[in-house]
Amino acid sequence: MTKFKKILAVVLAGAMLMAFAACGDKNSSSETESKNDTQSAATEAGDSATTDEPAGEPKYATAGKLTMATNASFPPYEYYENEQIIGIDAEVAALIADKLGVELEIKDMEFGSIIGAVQTGAVDIGMAGMTVTEDRLKTIDFTDSYATAVQVIIVKEDSEIASADDLEGKTVGVQENTTGDIYATDDLGEGNVKRYNKGNDAVAALASGVVDAVIIDNEPAKSFVAANDGLKILDTSYADEQYAIAVSKDNKGLTEAINKALSELKEDGSLDKIVEKYIPAE
Ligand code: ARG
């Protein structure tokens, strides 16, 4: 599907940008480059963090703290339990803060406000199951990816919608400003998309028949479907994505320090352990 190519191009662009952070030409990536190029670019990106010219010391909005913006209505990545924000992102961020020698502070906000908060330096990072996209890379940097995701389609159990093609002319619910919103609007047109503040509000609208389908990330989809009777996730996926942490373009030192921390957490199994805790193997 073209959607997949689109995503591959985005990931490729991300890898290229990271590899050639200082001198990269954003428009040079093309869909024709092979997968191997993507992989070697990604490997070089990983190495470059320690060999290239120093990016400087990490800067923090508040001294001694890693301030993280999120939107805590996105289980299992971030959600409330007993008035506390928990989830994969919250736990991974806590380990990163530990490694950086600072304290983690999480700020909950609308998903659409996160990038602006990172860009202006009001917060240090945005971590919210956030997908790397070419458009977002224009305003902020992303760290290396720490998770993969899939955009899926949720429908009622008795729905006649069986694939992405069947969405034509239907009304689709999405969380505002997410990639699900962007794809649905691109593919189906403004008039066929209803935007909600939270993913779960879109799912509630589906359950009550206000929308015909919801496009959202696979793991939150599973959790919302489990909490609502009569819904199912279609087998066909809508798009493949990479999650990464958003950092200001003026804070290369922080991006570099987080990438180092992330690679340690990947290597020593801590990242896998957190993921398994929240997403038990089926
Ligand atoms: N992965 C999607 C995106 O980046 C959705 C993320 C929504 N995250 C959240 N915490 N509500 O647009």
Side-chain angles (χ1 to χ4, degrees):
M1 254 172 90
T2 57
K3 187 67 67 187
F4 180 72
K5 268 194 174 169
K6 202 165 161 187
I7 297 306
L8 187 64
V10 166
V11 172
L12 183 69
M16 302 285 281
L17 274 179
M18 282 186 275
F20 309 111
C23 58
D25 170 6
K26 282 184 200 182
N27 301 318
S28 68
S29 68
S30 84
E31 294 187 359
T32 55
E33 286 177 72
S34 77
K35 242 189 163 155
N36 284 336
D37 288 344
T38 313
Q39 277 160 1
S40 62
T43 312
E44 277 167 31
D47 293 345
S48 70
T50 49
T51 52
D52 278 356
E53 58 181 279
E57 288 297 308
K59 292 182 273 195
Y60 296 102
T62 305
K65 281 189 178 172
L66 180 69
T67 311
M68 158 181 160
T70 198
N71 172 251
S73 58
F74 200 68
Y77 291 94
E78 45 266 332
Y79 58 103
Y80 281 92
E81 199 176 270
N82 302 324
E83 283 164 41
Q84 237 204 307
I85 297 173
I86 62 165
I88 294 171
D89 288 349
E91 291 208 22
V92 172
L95 294 186
I96 290 172
D98 255 9
K99 286 188 182 284
L100 301 181
V102 291
E103 198 190 310
L104 177 68
E105 183 180 328
I106 301 181
K107 287 195 176 165
D108 190 15
M109 58 183 72
E110 291 197 355
F111 184 74
S113 303
I114 297 174
I115 289 181
V118 170
Q119 214 184 347
T120 60
V123 300
D124 302 311
I125 60 170
M127 194 171 186
M130 191 180 281
T131 305
V132 179
T133 74
E134 218 164 333
D135 237 25
R136 290 173 180 168
L137 278 165
K138 288 180 189 154
T139 50
I140 42 142
D141 285 344
F142 277 106
T143 63
D144 294 337
S145 173
Y146 64 91
T148 55
V150 185
Q151 292 293 312
V152 297
I153 302 166
I154 310 176
V155 293
K156 280 197 174 176
E157 246 156 27
D158 58 1
S159 174
E160 57 186 23
I161 299 169
S163 75
D165 294 337
D166 299 337
L167 292 176
E168 194 84 48
K170 301 279 195 248
T171 306
V172 172
V174 295
Q175 183 182 15
E176 196 167 19
N177 291 311
T178 60
T179 46
D181 180 3
I182 296 160
Y183 301 148
T185 307
D186 269 7
D187 288 355
L188 307 168
E190 191 79 35
N192 292 311
V193 179
K194 273 196 187 305
R195 305 191 170 90
Y196 295 88
N197 195 249
K198 295 175 177 172
N200 206 23
D201 297 342
V203 174
L206 171 64
S208 62
V210 176
V211 298
D212 304 308
V214 167
I215 297 178
I216 195 162
D217 306 48
N218 55 327
E219 287 304 331
K222 278 194 225 163
S223 130
F224 295 146
V225 165
N228 287 273
D229 280 339
L231 303 181
K232 65 175 181 190
I233 299 172
L234 295 185
D235 273 343
T236 52
S237 70
Y238 201 70
D240 294 315
E241 305 186 321
Q242 300 276 340
Y243 288 168
I245 302 169
V247 183
S248 161
K249 286 188 180 293
D250 297 331
N251 206 351
K252 305 280 181 210
L254 183 59
T255 304
E256 189 167 288
I258 291 176
N259 279 340
K260 181 168 175 280
L262 264 181
S263 81
E264 287 168 13
L265 296 174
K266 285 176 188 171
E267 243 154 65
D268 73 7
S270 314
L271 180 62
D272 283 345
K273 218 164 129 193
I274 293 171
V275 172
E276 277 156 27
K277 173 175 161 190
Y278 286 93
I279 309 176
E282 273 140 35

